[in-house]
Amino acid sequence: MTLDRLVSPASRATEVLGGELTESSLKRYLNGISGVDAVGLEARAADLGSRSIKTTSKAWALDRIISLIDLTTLEGADTTGKVRSLVAKGLVPDASDPGCPRVAAVCVYGDMVPAAVEALGAAHGLDDVPGGINVAAVATAFPSGRASLAVKLADTADAVAAGADEIDMVIDRGAFLSGRYGQVFDEIVAVKEACRRADGSFAHLKVILETGELNTYDNVRRASWLSILAGGDFIKTSTGKVAPAATLPVTLLMLEVVRDWHRLTGEKIGVKPAGGIRTSKDAIKYLVAVAETAGEEWLQPHLFRFGASSLLNDVLLQRQKLATGHYSGADYVTID
């Protein structure tokens, strides 16, 4: 089965479901997905997390991590100045090393998109992110998702009109946990349509599951499949506002879903763990999980991202340690 991304999500889902798209058919399909072997999943995550990385490979891994980061600030106290500083750091993470790669994107609230776009200038708006930096905006009443659909769609459309290349939406966890899969599906479809730009192209849509509120691995698997069926370009673990946020077992499970989707349809979907990944040591574990599960071709910005605020600082310190043999002070890599 090969699916066309230009076909509507409803048509694509109908093809996968093998019949009419209804609430009952969605429930039947999602509830028919095999349950997760929690012990096996956690054991495999622990095994992947124990792999050692040698010096040459570590240097490559550190640079790759930087290139996969969505450098994030999502605070009520965010200012235009803070966003400009974030962009400056994303463009030139290490002023002492011109060979240091740029981050993939900066992630901000929708009202901060114009400031990010202006600060990026000519480096903005390259969807595949080779040499440029995308602007990602959280939307749909982030982080709770507790708003009317009209408000969520307006939130999304405003961010796209302001220049956001990517939208990070949150699903209605209450609807999902109540078994109202059709409502969640329809909302994702509507948000995807709100990502349409004036020229007819679409901002990339990342669908945040908020896995810390889904309670079980089975729910994470179902929510992942539902989000992809509805047209999400990425599935994302968390808002970073709920604990636990990203974990290696949950991310591994989501990687298995995109691997299985690719085998079923030939289509590649991205994965974004977000929240709680603060050290290069932890981030490398995720790189290993990606390579061993979905494949090394997923280690690209259009298929894998880290949602992070402090991770970049630790990666830069580790890069400097490899280059000089000693650690720099934290103030050498931090821009407030």
Side-chain angles (χ1 to χ4, degrees):
M1 179 189 301
T2 301
L3 297 183
D4 186 347
R5 291 296 279 182
L6 298 179
V7 174
S8 72
S11 298
R12 296 168 65 255
T14 298
E15 185 175 350
V16 172
L17 297 179
E20 188 179 5
L21 175 60
T22 63
E23 181 73 56
S24 61
S25 66
L26 269 175
K27 283 186 177 181
R28 186 165 54 250
Y29 185 83
L30 295 174
N31 290 333
I33 295 172
S34 60
V36 178
D37 174 2
V39 174
L41 177 70
E42 291 172 0
R44 176 159 170 74
D47 176 64
L48 292 171
S50 68
R51 305 284 177 85
S52 61
I53 303 294
K54 305 304 180 184
T55 302
T56 303
S57 297
K58 185 175 181 181
W60 174 89
L62 293 174
D63 279 2
R64 184 52 55 102
I65 290 166
I66 295 172
S67 73
L68 298 174
I69 288 177
D70 282 1
L71 192 59
T72 302
T73 182
L74 296 171
E75 302 298 333
D78 284 344
T79 63
T80 298
K82 184 175 182 181
V83 170
R84 287 174 179 161
S85 293
L86 190 80
V87 168
K89 185 171 183 177
L91 286 168
V92 186
D94 187 347
S96 69
D97 181 3
C100 182
R102 294 174 171 179
V103 301
V106 292
C107 184
V108 297
Y109 275 112
D111 65 317
M112 290 287 106
V113 168
V117 170
E118 181 182 10
L120 282 169
H124 165 245
L126 303 176
D127 284 345
D128 292 330
V129 205
I133 296 181
N134 283 356
V135 174
V138 296
T140 64
F142 177 97
S144 69
R146 304 253 56 96
S148 69
L149 180 58
V151 168
K152 294 178 182 181
L153 297 182
D155 193 18
T156 302
D158 284 350
V160 173
D165 305 290
E166 303 168 5
I167 293 295
D168 291 30
M169 69 164 289
V170 290
I171 66 167
D172 185 331
R173 282 85 77 189
F176 178 85
L177 292 171
S178 298
R180 302 197 303 274
Y181 299 148
Q183 178 181 334
V184 179
F185 180 95
D186 289 344
E187 192 165 283
I188 296 171
V189 170
V191 173
K192 178 68 176 180
E193 181 59 31
C195 289
R196 187 188 295 270
R197 303 184 181 104
D199 64 1
S201 64
F202 287 85
H204 293 177
L205 179 61
K206 305 193 199 87
V207 183
I208 307 172
L209 309 183
E210 197 67 287
T211 55
E213 293 185 340
L214 295 186
N215 302 323
T216 69
Y217 290 134
D218 287 345
N219 279 338
V220 172
R221 179 176 279 176
R222 291 189 192 101
S224 296
W225 276 94
L226 179 58
S227 300
I228 295 171
L229 282 168
D233 300 299
F234 264 74
I235 48 176
K236 176 179 172 181
T237 61
S238 323
T239 63
K241 306 296 186 182
V242 171
T247 68
L248 192 57
V250 161
T251 304
L252 174 58
L253 175 57
M254 294 166 66
L255 288 165
E256 290 175 349
V257 171
V258 301
R259 176 201 64 196
D260 293 345
W261 177 262
H262 180 247
R263 289 174 178 173
L264 176 67
T265 69
E267 181 184 22
K268 293 178 180 177
I269 301 296
V271 175
K272 178 180 173 180
I277 305 172
R278 297 183 175 88
T279 68
S280 56
K281 181 177 180 180
D282 284 340
I284 287 172
K285 295 176 183 179
Y286 285 82
L287 295 188
V288 173
V290 173
E292 293 289 330
T293 307
E296 292 185 9
E297 64 267 34
W298 255 261
L299 292 173
Q300 304 178 61
H302 69 284
L303 290 173
F304 190 77
R305 300 283 181 85
F306 292 103
S309 54
S310 60
L311 172 61
L312 180 58
N313 289 340
D314 186 73
V315 176
L316 294 175
L317 289 173
Q318 297 299 326
R319 285 182 88 255
Q320 292 173 3
K321 171 66 162 54
L322 284 179
T324 67
H326 62 271
Y327 287 107
S328 302
D331 55 329
Y332 280 82
V333 297
T334 300
I335 298 177
D336 295 326

